[in-house]
Amino acid sequence: MLLGLGIVLGFAGIGFLCWLLFLCAVYAAPLFVAAMVSTILYDHGVLSGAHAALAGIAAGIMVLACGQTILASSRDPALRASVSLLLALPAALAGFGTTLGFCGMGEMGVVPGYLFATFGALCVGGSAWTRLCAIQPA
């Protein structure tokens, strides 16, 4: 009884994490920029910890606002596709890492794990790119 409940809850937990990954994949680029800006500013001694975190948050908000503004106002398909692709690349990297982490939870070999992680990166990146391309210009 408990083993069956554990298996069901394990699948439900992995399904919830995958749903959360697909839902939040659009915000991977601003989060990546925020983390990199705060890390660089703190490591080089430019700002203290709290100030570096606030500067990183501001940089992430600017990336998100600029990306959404370009996607919402531009009618040029090449510009929209390139901005969508730039915002979806970190989502694909996050999908690769997450899928590879899920593969590491089981007893999967190295080559099948990387193949499965590549498929996961394509799915998550494609989902993020599709959601970003769905933003219609005003």
Side-chain angles (χ1 to χ4, degrees), residues 7-21:
I7 290 172
V8 168
L9 289 178
F11 277 118
I14 288 175
F16 174 74
L17 289 176
C18 289
W19 171 78
L20 192 63
L21 176 68

Side-chain angles (χ1 to χ4, degrees), residues 24-39:
C24 297
V26 176
Y27 304 110
L31 181 65
F32 177 73
V33 168
M36 290 306 297
V37 166
S38 357
T39 302

Side-chain angles (χ1 to χ4, degrees), residues 1-106:
M1 174 74 178
L2 286 178
L3 180 64
L5 181 65
I7 290 172
V8 168
L9 289 178
F11 277 118
I14 288 175
F16 174 74
L17 289 176
C18 289
W19 171 78
L20 192 63
L21 176 68
F22 277 98
L23 183 69
C24 297
V26 176
Y27 304 110
L31 181 65
F32 177 73
V33 168
M36 290 306 297
V37 166
S38 357
T39 302
I40 288 171
L41 290 176
Y42 183 73
D43 283 347
H44 292 283
V46 177
L47 294 174
S48 67
H51 293 108
L54 289 174
I57 290 171
I61 289 171
M62 286 182 62
V63 167
L64 179 65
C66 289
Q68 287 185 347
T69 301
I70 290 171
L71 290 174
S73 64
S74 174
R75 294 195 182 276
D76 183 24
L79 178 64
R80 291 175 53 81
S82 62
V83 169
S84 299
L85 187 65
L86 283 174
L87 290 174
L89 280 176
L93 290 174
F96 182 84
T98 304
T99 310
L100 192 62
F102 284 152
C103 291
M105 290 170 49

